[in-house]
Amino acid sequence: MDVHVTLEGRRDLSGQIYRRLRTAIHDGLLRPGDPLPPARVLARRLEVARNTVGVAYDRLVAEGYAAGKVGSGTYVCATGLPTPVRQPAPPQTTVSPLRPRALWESLSPWTVPRATGPTGVTHDFRTGLPDARLFPYDAWRPLIARELRPSAAGAVGYGDPAGHAGLRAALARHIRLSRGVRTGPEDVLVTTGTQQALDLVGRVLLGPGDRVAVEDPGYPPARLPFQAQGADVVGVPVDAEGLIVDAIPPDTRAVYVTPAHQFPLGMPMSLRRRTALLRWARRHGAAVIEDDYDSEFRYGGRPVETLQSLDRDGHVIYVGSFSKVMLPSLRVGFLVAPAPLRTALRTAKYSADWHTTVPTQAALARFVDDGLLARHIRRMQQTYADRHRVLTRALTHQHADLAELVPSAAGLHVTTFTRGHLADPAALTARATRVRAAGVAVHTLAEVAADHSTRPGLVFGYGSIDTGTIEQGLRQVLDPPEAD
């Protein structure tokens, strides 16, 4: 790799080159086995004689920092070097007069405590994680490889900010067929995950001080884009039917909801409440942002109609992603917006990052069109249904004294309100901390909800835990040794 070498004046040039490379080795910037730049290349770049660089290299070799290989070059020695010392950042980075706006001092990414067991995570009840072990890598790999060839249409150049045409068409067909969303390819905009979709909507719709209503308890990351744009984000309580529409504050400009599977409690929004929300949006001229996460996996009852499919007045912006049905690391999402917003959203996407990675979009279009996505969803539907059944049965039949299950027939997690001594928030936090130290990844309701004053409870994800280990994991969480 290239190494930045700065020379001062014209004295002791070989010594300067030697010291710069030795420092890079000491700091771990040049690692054992890394090649040093060819002497003639470095000499040409530094405008010095090749022999000047050769003297520096000879000194590194003599002192055991490097070794020459005939016909290959000079490499950092693989053994016998001192342990690299990480140098602190240059002083000028800490004394800069630049500061973020005061708004950003109060914002930070959503984080939850991690399991710290001596052998890693033994029982993974984390929320929002699909089973990456069951992803069809053998089917996905050739699709990506095909798009990385020079002959692929999207391999070179920049893409359309709205997204790859084939993927937009595939997505429109998929969500129209599977979720009843009324859309065509021209309505779809591809994003880098749901988080960016929310950010783009906020950029286009909201100004500083505009009010945005979110569910309370709700999904913490959904608040961040709106808060970062200076919006007034307010929580609205939920009950067994979902968001309480009558509690939405006046002058609210937009409402963010998860009607198919409320996060984190898990119940769907009733038809009566969905209809009321659409009436409210029409009456106030407000936007409803529908996050349809987890809707692909249902284990009973009728599918919940999307707000977008019920909307006849153009108030709903529909948001989705592939994080749960495929892999979170793909970072591909999408939104479906009313026609008057299309141009502005496309421009906002261009402003943000121009476009989502084209090869991934093209591969995903084929994955959807070839039926591979539908096949993967069917396979995972059965797997997750088995885990949902085992988990809910154990909670209701074996642990009902400590856990009150919130009814949920969809998604990749269930929530319980805790009873007995675990109804005490301090005792519950202590229990969660202790079992995480033993390798059980589980979180309290307060840890995953935006409202930390919510009723004490536990959230059990089952996307990435083996079915056969669920009951043992629950026993470790809810039936530990006496001392708590």
Side-chain angles (χ1 to χ4, degrees):
M1 67 177 66
D2 287 341
V3 179
H4 180 68
V5 176
T6 301
L7 299 180
E8 298 180 1
R10 304 301 298 176
R11 300 183 55 137
D12 191 23
L13 298 181
S14 292
Q16 291 186 55
I17 296 170
Y18 158 78
R19 286 188 291 274
R20 177 65 184 90
L21 294 174
R22 184 189 62 180
T23 299
I25 294 171
H26 272 288
D27 291 350
L29 301 177
L30 284 173
R31 299 166 299 180
D34 281 349
L36 298 182
R40 58 180 176 78
V41 173
L42 185 57
R44 185 169 59 248
R45 190 191 319 147
L46 298 178
E47 297 182 341
V48 299
R50 180 174 178 179
N51 184 59
T52 301
V53 177
V55 170
Y57 281 17
D58 289 344
R59 187 173 175 185
L60 289 169
V61 170
E63 295 182 9
Y65 288 101
K69 296 182 181 179
V70 177
S72 178
T74 305
Y75 294 80
V76 179
C77 283
T79 59
L81 295 178
T83 302
V85 177
R86 300 297 178 188
Q87 297 296 318
Q92 61 266 30
T93 63
T94 60
V95 299
S96 169
L98 301 180
R99 295 291 183 274
R101 289 187 296 137
L103 167 70
W104 288 91
E105 299 290 348
S106 62
L107 303 179
S108 61
W110 182 44
T111 58
V112 292
R114 295 186 176 185
T116 57
T119 59
V121 176
T122 58
H123 299 83
D124 196 347
F125 288 115
R126 288 176 294 172
T127 63
L129 293 180
D131 198 329
R133 299 166 298 181
L134 300 181
F135 182 74
Y137 295 100
D138 289 343
W140 177 253
R141 193 178 298 111
L143 297 179
I144 281 288
R146 175 176 179 169
E147 298 304 326
L148 292 176
R149 295 173 182 169
S151 58
V156 296
Y158 296 102
D160 184 344
H164 182 277
L167 180 57
R168 295 169 71 195
L171 286 175
R173 286 192 299 272
H174 173 67
I175 58 178
R176 191 166 62 236
L177 181 64
S178 65
R179 296 295 292 134
V181 175
R182 297 178 299 106
T183 186
E186 66 281 356
D187 301 314
V188 177
L189 184 138
V190 179
T191 64
T192 307
T194 296
Q195 203 67 8
Q196 186 183 59
L198 300 180
D199 180 70
L200 297 179
V201 170
R203 292 185 190 213
V204 167
L205 283 183
L206 304 174
D210 281 350
R211 181 169 293 157
V212 179
V214 298
E215 297 163 321
D216 194 359
Y219 183 52
R223 298 185 174 209
L224 191 58
F226 307 131
Q227 291 171 329
Q229 291 157 3
D232 176 23
V233 180
V234 296
V236 176
V238 299
D239 60 15
E241 293 188 71
L243 184 86
I244 301 175
V245 177
D246 291 340
I248 299 175
D251 301 324
T252 295
R253 183 85 174 89
V255 180
Y256 168 84
V257 288
T258 54
H261 185 234
Q262 200 277 335
F263 188 94
L265 299 182
M267 66 282 187
M269 184 182 288
S270 69
L271 178 60
R272 181 173 74 91
R273 201 62 64 77
R274 280 176 280 147
T275 303
L277 179 57
L278 292 174
R279 282 199 306 265
W280 177 91
R282 183 169 61 248
R283 189 165 62 250
H284 291 84
V288 175
I289 305 167
E290 177 180 18
D291 185 347
D292 201 32
Y293 91 105
D294 270 3
S295 61
E296 296 84 0
F297 303 117
R298 294 197 61 79
Y299 319 114
R302 295 179 178 177
V304 176
E305 287 186 271
T306 64
L307 287 164
Q308 198 272 356
S309 67
L310 299 173
D311 178 29
R312 294 296 182 268
D313 302 295
H315 289 280
V316 175
I317 301 169
Y318 178 88
V319 174
S321 84
F322 290 89
S323 294
K324 307 298 187 298
V325 296
M326 293 181 68
L327 296 171
S329 56
L330 289 179
R331 305 311 304 143
V332 178
F334 59 92
L335 61 83
V336 176
L341 298 180
R342 289 179 198 157
T343 300
L345 285 166
R346 184 178 182 275
T347 303
K349 171 65 175 176
Y350 176 87
S351 174
D353 64 357
W354 200 319
H355 59 77
T356 300
T357 306
V358 175
T360 301
Q361 291 188 69
L364 184 53
R366 287 191 173 276
F367 193 77
V368 176
D369 280 339
D370 292 351
L372 298 173
L373 176 65
R375 184 186 308 168
H376 178 57
I377 290 175
R378 286 194 299 270
R379 179 190 181 195
M380 300 312 299
Q381 166 77 21
Q382 185 57 55
T383 298
Y384 294 145
D386 290 343
R387 295 175 186 176
H388 178 270
R389 184 184 67 255
V390 170
L391 178 61
T392 55
R393 183 179 59 196
L395 286 169
T396 53
H397 290 88
Q398 301 168 27
H399 303 286
D401 56 330
L402 291 176
E404 174 192 343
L405 181 65
V406 178
S408 174
L412 296 179
H413 76 267
V414 296
T415 295
T416 63
F417 295 125
T418 46
R419 294 169 165 162
H421 72 283
L422 291 184
D424 173 34
L428 180 62
T429 299
R431 172 73 63 86
T433 300
R434 191 176 61 75
V435 298
R436 283 195 291 262
V440 181
V442 68
H443 296 109
T444 67
L445 182 54
E447 288 169 342
V448 301
D451 177 17
H452 294 285
S453 65
T454 190
R455 183 176 170 186
L458 290 165
V459 181
F460 294 96
Y462 48 87
S464 57
I465 187 170
D466 288 329
T467 307
T469 65
I470 288 176
E471 293 189 34
Q472 181 187 26
L474 286 179
R475 286 194 295 271
Q476 287 191 244
V477 175
L478 295 170
D479 294 334
E482 290 300 321
D484 253 336

